[in-house]
Amino acid sequence: MNAFLAVIGRDLRLALRQRSDVALVVMFFVLTGAMFPLAVGPEPNLLARIAPGVTAVAALLAVLLSLERLFLADYEDGNLELLALAALPLELVALAKVAAHWLTTGLPLVIAAPVIALLYDMPADGLAVTLLALALATPSLSLIGAVGAALTLGARRGGVLIPLLVLPLYVPILIFAVSAIDAELAGLTALPNLLLLAAILAFALPFTPIAAAAALRQALT
Amino acid sequence: MNAFLAVIGRDLRLALRQRSDVALVVMFFVLTGAMFPLAVGPEPNLLARIAPGVTAVAALLAVLLSLERLFLADYEDGNLELLALAALPLELVALAKVAAHWLTTGLPLVIAAPVIALLYDMPADGLAVTLLALALATPSLSLIGAVGAALTLGARRGGVLIPLLVLPLYVPILIFAVSAIDAELAGLTALPNLLLLAAILAFALPFTPIAAAAALRQALT
Amino acid sequence: MTMHRFANPGRFMRFADRALPWTLGAMVLCLGAGLYLGLFVAPPDYQQGESVRIMYVHVPSAWMALFVYTNIALASAASLIWRHPLADLVAKASSPIGAGFTFLALATGSLWGKPMWGTWWVWDARLTSVLVLFFLYLGHMALMNAFDDQARGRKAAAILALVGFVNVPIIKFSVDWWNTLHQPASVLRLDGPTIHSSMLWPLLLMALGFTFYYVTLLFIRVKSDLLAARARALEVAALQAGE
Amino acid sequence: MSLFEGKDLTCIRAERWVFQGLDFTLAAGEALVVIGPNGSGKSSLLRLMAGLIRPAAGQLTWCGQALEEAAHRSRLHYLGHLDAVKPVLTAREVLNGWASLRGASAERVPEALDRFGLTELAELPCRLLSAGQRRRLALARLLATPAELWLLDEPSVGLDKESQGRLAAVIAQHQAGGGRVALATHEALDLEDPRQLDMGALTPPAAPELVW
Amino acid sequence: MSLFEGKDLTCIRAERWVFQGLDFTLAAGEALVVIGPNGSGKSSLLRLMAGLIRPAAGQLTWCGQALEEAAHRSRLHYLGHLDAVKPVLTAREVLNGWASLRGASAERVPEALDRFGLTELAELPCRLLSAGQRRRLALARLLATPAELWLLDEPSVGLDKESQGRLAAVIAQHQAGGGRVALATHEALDLEDPRQLDMGALTPPAAPELVW
Ligand code: HEM
Ligand SMILES: Nc1ncnc2c1ncn2[C@@H]1O[C@H](COP(=O)(O)OP(=O)(O)OP(=O)(O)O)[C@@H](O)[C@H]1O
Ligand SMILES: Nc1ncnc2c1ncn2[C@@H]1O[C@H](COP(=O)(O)OP(=O)(O)OP(=O)(O)O)[C@@H](O)[C@H]1O
Ligand SMILES: [Mg+2]
Ligand SMILES: [Mg+2]
């Protein structure tokens, strides 16, 4: 436990060493969100239609971008060996790193989501669900992404390989998140979709760290 | 000249050593394109409306993702010093690396674009212009992106910093590319927008390598 | 930062100390007069009504957004060409201020947009390009702090500022090049201003006041940066004495 | 008396035979110096000992029992070719982090820094450290938390004369305390009665290419 | 006779004074061995000589003239702490690539590989090479294309005894051919009448003259 927190603390310190770092993910999120109106044109009603989708996709991509460095840096500078030899099993190390990753990536995105909602002037109730959906979705994104990140260690262009491995697994999350928001905006209940998101999270939480750890061991031999 | 080609050849060999690498960018491009129908729902007319925008954005993001590794690998393993001491000025080295980057990223995207056009069943003439627009836009993306990639060497979280620096500069390219396609689809002429794209390229070609080289020198001190 | 040789910050400090009270006073005067004229003397617009008074904040801040970025670009050029460390500091101190002005232009603009265009935000060329400018500022600030070695961050940011400068003319002339909701320039145009003097005066006074505000803040921030640098130098000296 | 022992070990990396039929024993207080030409398998052997890679054949035992992963992890320090130093953290933070990773407190960190002459540099971000200073920081890890078995891959690389002396002293002290150390090196280090294991003297693997 | 000379050099890295008032001369056929404790500035000096970083004060001259960038680049080989070896390329490809980067043909590559005993490893992807094998490959660069001035940062790190001999021989031959070499090292290398530059003996940089 002690060591578990140590890993989280270590990664948090690394990320927060420059306060700007966290801001960066958020900015990417907002920038991508801001890009679509430029791309699809300014009609407000069209924008309103795609707002939920864009929010989800932008969040998803922001997480994707931040994934590559999740293990790569430690792998390249020899820290991964040390982590593998640390006092706690590699599965927990992986879980701890994912937790830190979410705290520095997923959480800020949830907090920043209102900005995008504003750019597309989304109604307030829709915003509430959006936040809820993101809060449930982003941890799963980090967990699943960690597996991809671990698998691609050693492969060059990991930056592109990870999305390839991970995106298909992200699709259900994406769909449920968007449907939840759409349902709310359409005046229906978002609950079922939110529950599905929760289910995915509950499922990913125990298993992905095991997979990630296995991949990390491979990378070390 | 000889050495210039040598740099290109070197990077091409590195990229093609794992043939998958090029495929990866393309797949990311297609996957992102495929994600939006899932995100915004299946109405054909809506999809038709956003098709050009999505194509452009997907291409832009694919390039963006591949940017980080452009100089980073060489920087971390000590090759950048050797390149800086090569027989040709650093500006040309940068230009050569950009050329290689385009050949392994931009060009494949252009070739793969029809797939997305097909996903959104875009009319043939629209496709022609799409290809033209991408062919003119992607080199500029690589050129401008190179500056961002070089500037962020040694900075942590380069993967997220690069988009923040580069996306704002990408905006005009994005807009002109999309407007070109939209114009064509609306039965108007795409020519003026295509010319604007060409102008941007002509402007970026001489200047961005200089900026990139300056940034690389900074990174080496 | 190799202050030790190339610059004489001492001189700058003395100058800043002497100039500060004046710029401060000028700022208060201009802003006071400008606000008074703008809010109470100047007539309401025959079609926009009272809401036109937003202009007296919106327009100057928009101008400043462009002006400050231009300054940053110039300072960056100076730092890259003549390696003058003060230029670096000016650029570093300017970007947060410029970002502030840009945000003000955006905020007041969209406040104005609600009554005029019926929406907070439209994705037209002028508005978008200003939004881009805002992100350029953010990028500049982020890059500035992205390195452990401050000198490296400064140089990198300088290069970025020069590259990003291409956006400024785009913003300025977006309204002329593309047909947008936003109205074209009526003050800063080659063939002279075309708005009534009762509106022009408060506008110019506000612009002047904003400029003095910028200069004042610039002096203060650069001064504090120099002091920080000095503190760091002392610290390093202590460390190396230990080695 | 407890013995760390390897019997008839075979190592295959990327389908290439590195060595085969290798035996070693390492008793408390002993130092095992692994020498041999480049590519003879010194690093591979140390990674085997650390449990980072598994032997293709043969087995590792700790006082008779086959290695129990968690227990083995917690009793060893491994120092590879890479320094595992984070450029953005200060020397002290690196050591503290490592200590807490091992579930230990940071009380020994100051002494560890001191033993390798890093006290003055403790507050600098590591990217400002020179190659040898980094190496010394990596070595300071050995003292930051206690461990019975040290596995050191060319520990003295990049160290100046003085630091090499410090290293020798530290190792000697470790042995005196009943600790054991296995290290690969090309340079002569003065250790207390080292036993040598010459990888060059092993029967060389069949061929440098693939062997199916 | 042409002289590579540095006068009153000051080096500042990340706001920290590394050394000041350093002079050196390097004539054709000479070897300059830079020694000194970790962090004394050996690598920094070599990077200065290579033109990778600019001196904060003082100047570098080549037979009297201030350095002309392009010319200087083409006349030197720089070998840093990093091996600059691409894991996915084979040893031969790495050298060929480097040769053509220097605008030279690849004719000398086979000999270069041979001189450092890499011939049988030439077709392996470099990720399979051991630390010392990588270092040898980095060294082979020196022979892959001719260059008058060699700047070597701890070239012998990780080399086995035999390879150290090869290195010494290669350097001696280079000097005999009128080439000049400046190298930083902590180990004793047997060179032809080396001149020593002890960074440790320099007057340590005074506390930097403050901002004001
Ligand atoms: C967020 C939305 C807006 C942004 C980003 C924005 C941006 C700008 C910028 C950059 C300028 C400087 C133009 C120049 O120097 O040539 C400007 C000037 C101006 N803006 Fe806006 N604007 C916005 C909304 C509005 C609205 C809603 C109105 C009123 C209908 C308005 C009225 C003006 C006027 C009258 C000027 C002065 C033009 C001149 O005389 O030069 N703006 N704005
Ligand atoms: N990349 C860098 N950026 C800033 N400062 C650095 C950098 N590398 C080293 N330094 C500083 O410069 C000083 C000299 O470093 P340098 O690497 O030249 O020493 P060195 O003599 O090569 O040491 P070693 O024998 O360990 O290689 C060190 O004290 C270090 O603090
Ligand atoms: N990461 C790796 N993957 C696959 N094979 C490897 C790897 N590293 C080394 N090898 C192979 O294993 C053999 C032994 O490598 P090892 O690093 O153990 O040698 P070494 O004795 O440590 O050499 P050095 O003295 O240069 O460090 C080498 O011939 C090399 O081809
Ligand atoms: Mg080894
Ligand atoms: Mg060094």
Side-chain angles (χ1 to χ4, degrees), chain B residues 23-40:
Chain B
L24 291 175
V25 188
V26 174
M27 291 181 190
F28 176 78
F29 176 57
V30 176
L31 273 175
T32 332
M35 235 160 42
F36 284 96
L38 301 175
V40 304

mmCIF file of all heavy atoms in Angstrom, chain B residues 23-40:
data_model
loop_
_atom_site.group_PDB
_atom_site.id
_atom_site.type_symbol
_atom_site.label_atom_id
_atom_site.label_comp_id
_atom_site.label_asym_id
_atom_site.label_seq_id
_atom_site.Cartn_x
_atom_site.Cartn_y
_atom_site.Cartn_z
ATOM 1 N N ALA B 23 1.595 1.831 -42.387
ATOM 2 C CA ALA B 23 0.213 1.352 -42.279
ATOM 3 C C ALA B 23 -0.461 1.986 -41.060
ATOM 4 O O ALA B 23 -1.618 2.386 -41.116
ATOM 5 C CB ALA B 23 0.201 -0.159 -42.171
ATOM 6 N N LEU B 24 0.302 2.131 -39.993
ATOM 7 C CA LEU B 24 -0.302 2.598 -38.740
ATOM 8 C C LEU B 24 -0.941 3.967 -38.900
ATOM 9 O O LEU B 24 -2.085 4.178 -38.531
ATOM 10 C CB LEU B 24 0.762 2.631 -37.652
ATOM 11 C CG LEU B 24 1.229 1.250 -37.226
ATOM 12 C CD1 LEU B 24 2.360 1.334 -36.241
ATOM 13 C CD2 LEU B 24 0.063 0.488 -36.639
ATOM 14 N N VAL B 25 -0.183 4.900 -39.489
ATOM 15 C CA VAL B 25 -0.737 6.248 -39.646
ATOM 16 C C VAL B 25 -2.051 6.164 -40.412
ATOM 17 O O VAL B 25 -3.073 6.713 -40.007
ATOM 18 C CB VAL B 25 0.261 7.154 -40.404
ATOM 19 C CG1 VAL B 25 -0.216 8.582 -40.394
ATOM 20 C CG2 VAL B 25 1.641 7.032 -39.801
ATOM 21 N N VAL B 26 -1.990 5.413 -41.517
ATOM 22 C CA VAL B 26 -3.189 5.293 -42.348
ATOM 23 C C VAL B 26 -4.348 4.751 -41.515
ATOM 24 O O VAL B 26 -5.442 5.300 -41.499
ATOM 25 C CB VAL B 26 -2.899 4.371 -43.540
ATOM 26 C CG1 VAL B 26 -4.173 4.118 -44.328
ATOM 27 C CG2 VAL B 26 -1.835 4.994 -44.423
ATOM 28 N N MET B 27 -4.071 3.686 -40.763
ATOM 29 C CA MET B 27 -5.162 3.070 -40.003
ATOM 30 C C MET B 27 -5.731 4.062 -38.992
ATOM 31 O O MET B 27 -6.935 4.161 -38.822
ATOM 32 C CB MET B 27 -4.652 1.823 -39.301
ATOM 33 C CG MET B 27 -4.306 0.696 -40.261
ATOM 34 S SD MET B 27 -3.736 -0.745 -39.380
ATOM 35 C CE MET B 27 -3.125 -1.748 -40.728
ATOM 36 N N PHE B 28 -4.849 4.806 -38.350
ATOM 37 C CA PHE B 28 -5.356 5.804 -37.414
ATOM 38 C C PHE B 28 -6.286 6.770 -38.134
ATOM 39 O O PHE B 28 -7.394 7.065 -37.674
ATOM 40 C CB PHE B 28 -4.199 6.578 -36.781
ATOM 41 C CG PHE B 28 -4.662 7.687 -35.891
ATOM 42 C CD1 PHE B 28 -5.127 7.429 -34.626
ATOM 43 C CD2 PHE B 28 -4.648 8.998 -36.332
ATOM 44 C CE1 PHE B 28 -5.570 8.445 -33.810
ATOM 45 C CE2 PHE B 28 -5.090 10.022 -35.529
ATOM 46 C CZ PHE B 28 -5.548 9.740 -34.261
ATOM 47 N N PHE B 29 -5.843 7.214 -39.300
ATOM 48 C CA PHE B 29 -6.634 8.122 -40.138
ATOM 49 C C PHE B 29 -8.008 7.529 -40.378
ATOM 50 O O PHE B 29 -9.044 8.134 -40.056
ATOM 51 C CB PHE B 29 -5.874 8.329 -41.452
ATOM 52 C CG PHE B 29 -6.576 9.162 -42.475
ATOM 53 C CD1 PHE B 29 -6.989 10.439 -42.188
ATOM 54 C CD2 PHE B 29 -6.795 8.649 -43.742
ATOM 55 C CE1 PHE B 29 -7.620 11.210 -43.149
ATOM 56 C CE2 PHE B 29 -7.424 9.417 -44.704
ATOM 57 C CZ PHE B 29 -7.843 10.686 -44.407
ATOM 58 N N VAL B 30 -8.026 6.300 -40.858
ATOM 59 C CA VAL B 30 -9.313 5.675 -41.185
ATOM 60 C C VAL B 30 -10.147 5.477 -39.921
ATOM 61 O O VAL B 30 -11.339 5.797 -39.887
ATOM 62 C CB VAL B 30 -9.065 4.334 -41.894
ATOM 63 C CG1 VAL B 30 -10.385 3.628 -42.146
ATOM 64 C CG2 VAL B 30 -8.317 4.565 -43.200
ATOM 65 N N LEU B 31 -9.500 5.004 -38.858
ATOM 66 C CA LEU B 31 -10.250 4.744 -37.622
ATOM 67 C C LEU B 31 -10.918 6.016 -37.117
ATOM 68 O O LEU B 31 -12.099 6.032 -36.788
ATOM 69 C CB LEU B 31 -9.306 4.185 -36.565
ATOM 70 C CG LEU B 31 -9.105 2.681 -36.593
ATOM 71 C CD1 LEU B 31 -8.064 2.248 -35.579
ATOM 72 C CD2 LEU B 31 -10.431 1.989 -36.298
ATOM 73 N N THR B 32 -10.132 7.108 -37.072
ATOM 74 C CA THR B 32 -10.737 8.360 -36.598
ATOM 75 C C THR B 32 -11.923 8.715 -37.471
ATOM 76 O O THR B 32 -12.995 9.061 -36.982
ATOM 77 C CB THR B 32 -9.702 9.501 -36.661
ATOM 78 O OG1 THR B 32 -8.407 8.957 -36.509
ATOM 79 C CG2 THR B 32 -9.972 10.535 -35.606
ATOM 80 N N GLY B 33 -11.715 8.595 -38.802
ATOM 81 C CA GLY B 33 -12.821 8.884 -39.696
ATOM 82 C C GLY B 33 -14.028 8.017 -39.375
ATOM 83 O O GLY B 33 -15.176 8.490 -39.345
ATOM 84 N N ALA B 34 -13.759 6.752 -39.076
ATOM 85 C CA ALA B 34 -14.861 5.820 -38.837
ATOM 86 C C ALA B 34 -15.543 6.089 -37.497
ATOM 87 O O ALA B 34 -16.667 5.680 -37.263
ATOM 88 C CB ALA B 34 -14.325 4.393 -38.880
ATOM 89 N N MET B 35 -14.825 6.814 -36.602
ATOM 90 C CA MET B 35 -15.371 7.002 -35.255
ATOM 91 C C MET B 35 -16.578 7.944 -35.263
ATOM 92 O O MET B 35 -17.504 7.784 -34.479
ATOM 93 C CB MET B 35 -14.292 7.564 -34.343
ATOM 94 C CG MET B 35 -14.053 6.729 -33.089
ATOM 95 S SD MET B 35 -12.447 7.117 -32.394
ATOM 96 C CE MET B 35 -12.402 8.877 -32.566
ATOM 97 N N PHE B 36 -16.570 8.916 -36.186
ATOM 98 C CA PHE B 36 -17.613 9.944 -36.101
ATOM 99 C C PHE B 36 -19.007 9.428 -36.394
ATOM 100 O O PHE B 36 -19.944 9.768 -35.680
ATOM 101 C CB PHE B 36 -17.249 11.118 -36.998
ATOM 102 C CG PHE B 36 -16.192 11.947 -36.373
ATOM 103 C CD1 PHE B 36 -14.868 11.763 -36.709
ATOM 104 C CD2 PHE B 36 -16.517 12.857 -35.390
ATOM 105 C CE1 PHE B 36 -13.885 12.503 -36.089
ATOM 106 C CE2 PHE B 36 -15.533 13.591 -34.777
ATOM 107 C CZ PHE B 36 -14.218 13.414 -35.122
ATOM 108 N N PRO B 37 -19.164 8.602 -37.438
ATOM 109 C CA PRO B 37 -20.515 8.043 -37.611
ATOM 110 C C PRO B 37 -21.004 7.411 -36.312
ATOM 111 O O PRO B 37 -22.164 7.567 -35.928
ATOM 112 C CB PRO B 37 -20.304 7.003 -38.707
ATOM 113 C CG PRO B 37 -19.146 7.510 -39.482
ATOM 114 C CD PRO B 37 -18.243 8.190 -38.484
ATOM 115 N N LEU B 38 -20.119 6.747 -35.594
ATOM 116 C CA LEU B 38 -20.511 6.171 -34.318
ATOM 117 C C LEU B 38 -20.892 7.275 -33.336
ATOM 118 O O LEU B 38 -21.824 7.148 -32.544
ATOM 119 C CB LEU B 38 -19.356 5.358 -33.736
ATOM 120 C CG LEU B 38 -18.856 4.213 -34.609
ATOM 121 C CD1 LEU B 38 -17.633 3.565 -33.981
ATOM 122 C CD2 LEU B 38 -19.962 3.197 -34.794
ATOM 123 N N ALA B 39 -20.151 8.378 -33.406
ATOM 124 C CA ALA B 39 -20.342 9.411 -32.383
ATOM 125 C C ALA B 39 -21.549 10.288 -32.668
ATOM 126 O O ALA B 39 -22.269 10.662 -31.754
ATOM 127 C CB ALA B 39 -19.080 10.259 -32.273
ATOM 128 N N VAL B 40 -21.775 10.646 -33.943
ATOM 129 C CA VAL B 40 -22.851 11.607 -34.219
ATOM 130 C C VAL B 40 -24.093 10.912 -34.755
ATOM 131 O O VAL B 40 -25.087 11.578 -35.038
ATOM 132 C CB VAL B 40 -22.393 12.670 -35.246
ATOM 133 C CG1 VAL B 40 -21.139 13.357 -34.766
ATOM 134 C CG2 VAL B 40 -22.187 12.039 -36.607
#
